Amino acid sequence: MTQKDDYLKLLQRARSLGATPQQSQGRFVVPQIEGFIEGNNTVISNFADILKKVRREPDVVLPWMLRELGRPGDMEGGRLILRGAVPKATLEKVLNDFVSTQVLCSECSAPDTHIEKQGRAHILRCEACGAHRPIEAASRVATPSTQRAAVQEGDTLQVTIDDVGKRGDGVARYEGFLIFVEGGMKGQTIRVKIDRVNGNMAFAHVVPG
Ligand SMILES: [Zn+2]
């Protein structure tokens, strides 16, 4: 048992007693990500702490992050281990998106919200002002790790390029894979042939049709 675990326990108890660790006044500050690259993985070492701060369970946050990042990953002892090297800026963007769509009240910007299930709909309800809005249910989204075989060398796939990589390749997301397409341009929906697969990244070229 580390000091950090003790701290988290305390925090949890404080919350169950009705205390709120965030101030309702002022802007909610998205938690800082503490992370590092370890071998072929990216480790977010304070993931449990982030979960506490955004007041969401792992089964809501984890599938969201994996889908947005397009890569497999898992929680291990309060840390989030992601396959591959993920730039910190990317992690921060995904966490920011999560907070703005799944945590903050769109009326008063308070972080004091919770998710209610109404039939198949998920409602984000604000405890500060009572406002509510429907949200996308992140927990229903399949995680990439269950679909890892969806892209294999030699496959021909139709993909949509939604980003451009550092070296100018088009980047498409497909069933949890990131596909780098030589010569692919942002916005294109094209057929590609997979040349090489590395973890959940694949490299492809455009084919006619
Ligand atoms: Zn509100």
Side-chain angles (χ1 to χ4, degrees), residues 54-56 60-61 64 67 95-105 111 113-115 122-125 133-139:
V54 303
R55 298 175 63 197
R56 291 294 180 270
V60 172
V61 185
W64 172 282
R67 185 197 52 184
L95 182 61
N96 272 319
D97 288 350
F98 179 82
V99 168
S100 57
T101 60
Q102 302 269 322
V103 178
L104 295 185
C105 171
T113 61
H114 61 268
I115 296 171
H122 286 57
I123 309 289
L124 184 75
R125 187 176 296 276
R133 63 180 163 97
I135 56 168
E136 181 193 2
S139 56

Side-chain angles (χ1 to χ4, degrees), residues 104-113 125-132:
L104 295 185
C105 171
S106 52
E107 294 298 315
C108 73
S109 301
D112 311 308
T113 61
R125 187 176 296 276
C126 177
E127 291 152 21
C129 79
H132 53 91

Side-chain angles (χ1 to χ4, degrees), residues 116-190:
E116 292 173 5
K117 288 177 189 165
Q118 294 185 358
R120 295 180 58 182
H122 286 57
I123 309 289
L124 184 75
R125 187 176 296 276
C126 177
E127 291 152 21
C129 79
H132 53 91
R133 63 180 163 97
I135 56 168
E136 181 193 2
S139 56
R140 276 210 306 258
V141 179
T143 62
S145 55
T146 60
Q147 302 176 343
R148 218 174 297 163
V151 174
Q152 284 172 5
E153 203 174 304
D155 285 357
T156 302
L157 306 166
Q158 180 165 306
V159 298
T160 298
I161 307 293
D162 60 12
D163 216 339
V164 177
K166 267 189 198 149
R167 289 184 301 182
D169 292 338
V171 181
R173 285 159 218 270
Y174 186 90
E175 304 278 349
F177 282 80
L178 278 183
I179 303 179
F180 295 85
V181 183
E182 199 184 320
M185 296 207 297
K186 197 167 173 174
Q188 281 182 323
T189 297
I190 43 175

